[in-house]
Amino acid sequence: MPWFNNRKQRNKHLAGGFRHGQENHETKAVVNSITTLKDIKIGRSAVVVGINATGPLRRRFMDMGITKGTVIEVIKYAPLGDPMELSLRDYILSIRKSDAELIIVQEI
Amino acid sequence: MIRIGLIGNPNSGKTTIFNALTGTQQDVGNWPGVTVAKKEGRIGKDILITDLPGIYSLSPYSKEEVITRDYLLSHQVDVIINLVDATNLERNLYLTTQVLEMSIPTIVALNMMDEVAKRQIKIDVKRLAQLLHCPVVPISAKKNQGLKDLINQAVLLAKEKNVSQLVIYPLELAFTLDKIKSETKSSLFTAVKLFEGDQSFNEQGKKVKEIIASYLAKQQDDGESIIANERYRFSEQVVSQVLIKKPQQTKSLSAKIDSVLTHKIWALPIFALIMFIIYYTAITVVGNNVSGLMEQLLTALKTWVSQRLTAINSPLWLIDLFTNGIIGGVGSVLSFLPQLFVLFLLLTILEDSGYMARVAFIMDRMFRRFGLSGKSFIPLLLGTGCSVPAIMSTRTISNESERKMTVMLVPFIPCSAKLPVFALFVGTFFHPLVSTSLYFIGIAVVLCGGLLLKKIPSFKGDTSPFILELVDYHLPNLKSLFLQVWERTKSFLIKAGTIIFLASIVIWFLSSYTWSLQMVIDPASSMLAAIGRLLAWIFVPLGFGNWQSTVALLAGMIAKENIVSTFGIVLNSSESLPALMAAIAKLFSHSQAAAFSFMVFVLLAAPCVAAIATSKKELGSWKLTLASVLMQTGSAYLISLAIYQLASWWIKSDAFKIGVVITILVLMVVWTVVFLWRNRKKAPCLACHHSDCERCFLKKK
């Protein structure tokens, strides 16, 4: 996948990829592909695959229970669109979209 | 004496338990060298409880966690009480697995058992104790159940010195850790920290490095992740064995409340309404009804004291010192106490209920633009009452540079002590609605100040992550609530009281005597007037270069209420409000521009001494405190200058052409500096779009 300077361009590219994707079973494979937590829609859940952060932030995520295999549900966004509200391990956690972008997940 | 350390996640009910156990026998202070509150309390004579900071983990990255860790490792406790929220076992046990490795006798207190029963969940306490290899006591802090049993068991454990032998790791990892343990002759805790690569435990030999490297070679992860994964895996297993009835899938009460309070459309209006009610109740309702009573009380006290002193033939100066100096000065601050008490009470209820976390959640987006986080909003809100408690409340902000910025910006918010000044000047010169504009100016300066401070290298830092647990709502415990409000009120009384007391005496002395120590009736010939005349030139470009205003501003440094009373004294017109208004109109030669410039200067300039002292305590250094006072006074001067010069040029009544040119030049220079700073920003990273991608994986490669 090429790198784009602009986030909007990149997202457009990805969205295009989904829309013009191949037929049934192939499309399913694309939907369940690896994305970041930021791209999970409200009401959907995903499994954590990895964390793309280092140092304190990585540790903080893990301390709050975001470890490999954890199921995270996206509940809602704050009224101004950021941060997001998540449900995991029987509690509610709030993180910013820019940080959610560092959490690699697979949608379920 | 038995020393107990109370440890647990934030919001696990630690404060409630601590208050229930120790009552008023508490000492509140700071941990040495840091602004993290340290609370100690006693039960009877020979049990000392230390309330450790609320933490999620014992990582080396946060101040609170390091303090807790160092405190426990320095063998200053005989037994640890680990408070666990039974409604959220899985995440709470993560900390427990770390505490149990420290080789200190530990007892697990399973809190919120009443809530567990309500939700029809059953927890097998016996099985939990077996799995954790340590005693477990079910309690309910809210209903005061099981606390006696908890303390008895803790005392028993301190005598027996039984240490949990729990090892949560799979065989191969446990074997590796054991090797490190025997190599370094240390505890399991140290071995785990060495394995994690914790920087504060780095005196490891070559052998240890080899052992760790040979284990990690077979793994895909780093040491820190492996340990964290194992802890949560263990925690999940324990929960699956101990929770007898799985929680039902219906929406919890908190989720129902949240569907309204953090609703996409309604969240902001509801928040505004709640704030309006709190502010209106505390400042207006209580202010109108009780503060007048306090003033009457003080007047009565004044009369009584002067009568008493006259009766025993005291000299005139002594009577004046007591009535005008001490009671006048300290009293003006005390008359705000009822409002502050109610404000503290309402805000503590809000804090204890769990709503403040939602406020941070709602406001974060807006404040991040200005270099602050959602958590900065709470202190700014408190600042409309008084800067002192507002500055103290910045402690909830975990990011150090954001916290310091908030401390420096809070005084720009018009506090209740500045209201009399605005009332007097708006009443004299303007339409009543003009006073609202001062709130807008205050907020605008806070936001611009945030933008500017963010450009200064020491405040730059990484944009801190916003990782916040939205805890379940619950009703506050009455006893705990009362103790917290009392603690805040007490510290306000002590802080404001001592400083105001001394300052009042000094001002009284300066305004009552000449340089040759002759007592004077007319303040125009006092030392204070002389000082005022010496400094008045500074304010000529701002439109109020007379000694009376200068002296009033100086007196305002002690308490902003003093500004009005000082005008009353130095203009010899304190007997009635219309007389004072007329005198002020004359003093400012009926110039609206000068009057508005004066109000803005009062609004933005350095806060009162009590607030400065509190800032010093929270900023931790005199240098930074001085810088913040200069920053505040400097921006007050510049903005007032701009307002006066531009306004008088606009009105063309007393045009001051050179002044206008200089003002515009200064503004242009400031703007250019800001602009240049802004453009120094690096180009954003390709992958993560952060300007400085410390956390991005591209950088790692």
Side-chain angles (χ1 to χ4, degrees):
Chain A
M1 184 178 79
W3 289 112
F4 288 102
N5 286 345
N6 183 308
R7 194 186 308 196
K8 269 183 192 158
Q9 275 180 21
R10 191 183 64 172
N11 288 347
K12 217 182 207 173
H13 170 82
L14 286 177
F18 288 136
R19 212 172 296 129
H20 307 300
Q22 286 81 19
E23 288 310 301
N24 289 328
H25 65 284
E26 297 248 5
T27 316
K28 204 178 172 190
V30 173
V31 168
N32 279 349
S33 71
I34 310 285
T35 53
T36 69
L37 186 60
K38 182 183 164 249
D39 296 323
I40 303 298
K41 301 234 154 52
I42 291 176
R44 303 302 297 265
S45 299
V47 182
V48 177
V49 179
I51 301 170
N52 244 336
T54 53
L57 186 64
R58 182 185 178 84
R59 177 65 185 257
R60 193 100 212 112
F61 281 145
M62 294 192 299
D63 284 344
M64 297 311 286
I66 303 176
T67 54
K68 267 182 205 168
T70 311
V71 177
I72 301 180
E73 187 194 341
V74 177
I75 299 179
K76 67 169 89 152
Y77 289 102
L80 300 171
D82 199 20
M84 55 204 295
E85 188 179 321
L86 312 169
S87 167
L88 66 149
R89 297 192 189 272
D90 276 344
Y91 83 102
I92 308 291
L93 184 70
S94 159
I95 66 173
R96 285 182 186 148
K97 278 200 245 173
S98 58
D99 291 325
E101 209 172 10
L102 304 173
I103 299 170
I104 312 299
V105 296
Q106 185 165 24
E107 191 172 341
I108 47 171
Chain B
M1 191 166 65
I2 296 169
R3 296 159 305 173
I4 300 177
L6 194 58
I7 188 172
N9 281 191
N11 296 299
S12 56
K14 243 160 31 70
T15 313
T16 315
I17 291 223
F18 184 72
N19 285 336
L21 286 175
T22 60
T24 46
Q25 288 184 296
Q26 298 182 2
D27 284 323
V28 188
N30 275 357
W31 292 92
V34 283
T35 50
V36 175
K38 178 182 186 177
K39 280 197 202 165
E40 279 184 339
R42 281 169 190 280
I43 307 174
K45 264 187 185 162
D46 37 51
I47 301 177
L48 179 75
I49 298 193
T50 306
D51 188 16
L52 294 159
I55 51 174
Y56 292 107
S57 170
L58 289 172
S59 83
Y61 299 119
S62 98
K63 215 167 44 179
E64 286 86 358
E65 293 174 11
V66 173
I67 289 168
T68 309
R69 200 161 89 166
D70 291 350
Y71 184 74
L72 294 177
L73 286 176
S74 61
H75 304 289
Q76 292 190 49
V77 290
D78 299 310
V79 59
I80 298 174
I81 294 180
N82 177 205
L83 205 58
V84 166
D85 178 356
T87 60
N88 185 4
L89 264 184
E90 202 171 299
R91 207 207 52 232
N92 275 257
L93 286 178
Y94 177 77
L95 179 65
T96 309
T97 61
Q98 299 181 52
V99 173
L100 289 177
E101 281 169 4
M102 298 191 88
S103 305
I104 302 169
T106 301
I107 184 163
V108 169
L110 211 52
N111 192 19
M112 313 222 188
M113 288 306 276
D114 54 316
E115 188 60 31
V116 168
K118 221 189 272 170
R119 291 189 199 176
Q120 297 181 324
I121 308 167
K122 280 209 180 85
I123 294 175
D124 188 343
V125 178
K126 266 189 195 156
R127 183 88 186 106
L128 186 62
Q130 277 174 7
L131 290 169
L132 295 176
H133 297 258
C134 81
V136 177
V137 182
I139 60 166
S140 164
K142 208 166 94 188
K143 303 213 161 150
N144 225 335
Q145 286 165 353
L147 293 183
K148 254 192 195 141
D149 190 28
L150 177 67
I151 289 301
N152 289 341
Q153 291 223 36
V155 171
L156 200 68
L157 193 65
K159 281 176 187 150
E160 286 174 353
K161 294 194 170 58
N162 273 345
V163 173
S164 168
Q165 299 297 330
L166 175 72
V167 178
I168 60 163
Y169 307 101
L171 214 55
E172 203 189 344
L173 181 55
F175 184 61
T176 309
L177 289 172
D178 213 41
K179 271 202 280 188
I180 301 172
K181 220 169 106 179
S182 55
E183 187 65 37
T184 54
K185 296 185 182 63
S186 57
S187 62
L188 178 62
F189 184 78
T190 316
V192 172
K193 289 295 150 193
L194 288 173
F195 184 82
E196 282 181 335
D198 193 322
Q199 293 298 316
S200 37
F201 289 79
N202 56 1
E203 324 149 33
Q204 40 176 306
K206 214 176 170 190
K207 191 82 189 289
V208 177
K209 274 183 185 155
E210 274 169 22
I211 298 171
I212 298 170
S214 74
Y215 182 84
L216 288 180
K218 287 173 264 170
Q219 308 291 327
Q220 293 178 331
D221 254 333
D222 57 305
E224 218 172 20
S225 308
I226 293 172
I227 298 288
N229 284 338
E230 286 307 328
R231 290 195 197 286
Y232 267 111
R233 194 189 47 78
F234 174 79
S235 180
E236 280 166 27
Q237 278 176 5
V238 169
V239 171
S240 71
Q241 289 190 40
V242 164
L243 267 189
I244 293 175
K245 207 174 171 191
K246 274 268 167 193
Q248 291 161 333
Q249 287 305 310
T250 53
K251 236 179 171 184
S252 73
L253 182 65
S254 278
K256 278 181 201 157
I257 298 175
D258 260 347
S259 63
V260 179
L261 291 186
T262 60
H263 185 266
K264 214 174 170 100
I265 296 158
W266 297 115
L268 289 169
I270 289 174
F271 167 64
L273 185 72
I274 291 175
M275 285 310 133
F276 174 76
I277 291 171
I278 287 177
Y279 189 70
Y280 187 79
T281 313
I283 306 295
T284 314
V285 175
V286 176
N288 288 348
N289 296 321
V290 188
S291 290
L293 209 71
M294 286 289 281
E295 263 162 48
Q296 279 173 16
L297 243 150
L298 285 167
T299 320
L301 185 69
K302 243 186 216 178
T303 337
W304 185 79
V305 167
S306 72
Q307 275 171 2
R308 281 283 111 166
L309 287 172
T310 322
I312 56 166
N313 283 329
S314 328
L316 201 65
W317 67 265
L318 194 68
I319 299 172
D320 200 46
L321 169 66
F322 269 95
T323 53
N324 286 336
I326 297 171
I327 300 177
V330 177
S332 64
V333 177
L334 280 185
S335 58
F336 281 91
L337 194 64
Q339 301 178 26
L340 285 173
F341 181 80
V342 173
L343 199 64
F344 288 156
L345 180 73
L346 295 176
L347 288 164
T348 310
I349 291 175
L350 216 57
E351 249 169 68
D352 275 14
S353 69
Y355 184 63
M356 284 302 193
R358 272 74 181 181
V359 172
F361 175 69
I362 296 169
M363 301 304 292
D364 180 63
R365 178 66 202 270
M366 201 184 280
F367 272 73
R368 192 154 32 110
R369 291 226 168 137
F370 301 99
L372 303 164
S373 87
K375 294 174 193 169
S376 311
F377 194 76
I378 297 147
L380 292 177
L381 209 84
L382 289 172
T384 53
C386 174
S387 293
V388 174
I391 290 169
M392 287 195 284
S393 74
T394 56
R395 290 183 174 190
T396 50
I397 303 167
S398 53
N399 181 277
E400 207 40 22
S401 66
E402 268 172 28
R403 197 177 73 85
K404 285 183 175 163
M405 271 169 70
T406 312
V407 169
M408 294 168 88
L409 294 172
V410 159
F412 285 135
I413 295 291
C415 73
S416 54
K418 290 171 187 166
L419 292 184
V421 185
F422 302 152
L424 178 65
F425 275 76
V426 170
T428 312
F429 295 94
F430 302 100
H431 186 271
L433 273 179
V434 172
S435 53
T436 330
S437 69
L438 290 158
Y439 279 88
F440 288 114
I441 292 175
I443 293 162
V445 172
V446 166
L447 296 180
C448 295
L451 274 180
L452 282 175
L453 283 179
K454 214 171 54 169
K455 310 289 178 217
I456 297 170
S458 57
F459 286 110
K460 222 168 191 173
D462 208 7
T463 43
S464 69
F466 178 87
I467 301 178
L468 183 71
E469 182 189 356
L470 298 180
V471 289
D472 281 354
Y473 290 101
H474 51 81
L475 285 171
N477 172 289
L478 266 185
K479 188 179 175 186
S480 184
L481 184 72
F482 173 75
L483 279 169
Q484 285 180 69
V485 173
W486 167 237
E487 199 180 280
R488 285 183 174 188
T489 315
K490 196 174 74 180
S491 63
F492 169 78
L493 273 178
I494 292 169
K495 271 198 200 100
T498 45
I499 293 161
I500 300 273
F501 179 79
L502 285 174
S504 301
I505 294 175
V506 172
I507 283 285
W508 168 83
F509 177 73
L510 288 177
S511 66
S512 310
Y513 287 88
T514 60
W515 292 110
S516 51
L517 297 183
Q518 291 289 313
M519 200 166 176
V520 288
I521 310 279
D522 181 17
S525 47
S526 69
M527 279 186 266
L528 198 63
I531 296 169
R533 286 193 191 100
L534 205 67
L535 297 172
W537 60 271
I538 299 171
F539 300 108
V540 171
L542 273 59
F544 44 90
N546 48 62
W547 73 266
Q548 290 94 334
S549 307
T550 313
V551 163
L553 286 174
L554 281 179
M557 296 272 301
I558 293 149
K560 297 291 167 188
E561 302 91 315
N562 281 356
I563 295 175
V564 173
S565 57
T566 309
F567 270 127
I569 296 166
V570 297
L571 294 173
N572 261 335
S573 54
S574 53
E575 64 284 349
S576 78
L577 192 61
L580 183 58
M581 281 180 164
I584 284 198
K586 206 178 146 207
L587 182 69
F588 279 75
S589 45
H590 300 279
S591 161
Q592 285 193 335
F596 198 74
S597 152
F598 184 80
M599 283 198 291
V600 171
F601 192 82
V602 170
L603 168 68
L604 303 177
C608 63
V609 189
I612 294 175
T614 317
S615 300
K616 196 259 148 186
K617 213 175 150 206
E618 297 302 319
L619 291 172
S621 84
W622 277 115
K623 207 175 123 195
L624 206 57
T625 314
L626 197 70
S628 91
V629 168
L630 285 177
M631 182 272 288
Q632 286 149 358
T633 314
S635 46
Y637 195 87
L638 279 180
I639 295 169
S640 289
L641 179 75
I643 286 175
Y644 177 66
Q645 295 295 348
L646 293 177
S648 46
W649 175 65
W650 188 255
I651 297 167
K652 280 184 185 168
S653 54
D654 42 2
F656 196 80
K657 289 278 165 10
I658 304 164
V660 174
V661 174
I662 292 171
T663 311
I664 292 173
L665 277 178
V666 167
L667 285 177
M668 274 167 69
V669 168
V670 170
W671 186 251
T672 319
V673 169
V674 173
F675 196 72
L676 283 179
W677 245 323
R678 232 188 131 117
N679 281 1
R680 283 204 319 192
K681 223 169 156 186
K682 278 177 276 174
C685 160
L686 281 178
C688 65
H689 307 283
H690 283 286
S691 53
D692 46 350
C693 61
E694 289 294 323
R695 322 182 239 164
C696 168
F697 57 97
L698 274 191
K699 181 127 182 178
K700 243 167 67 183
K701 279 174 189 169

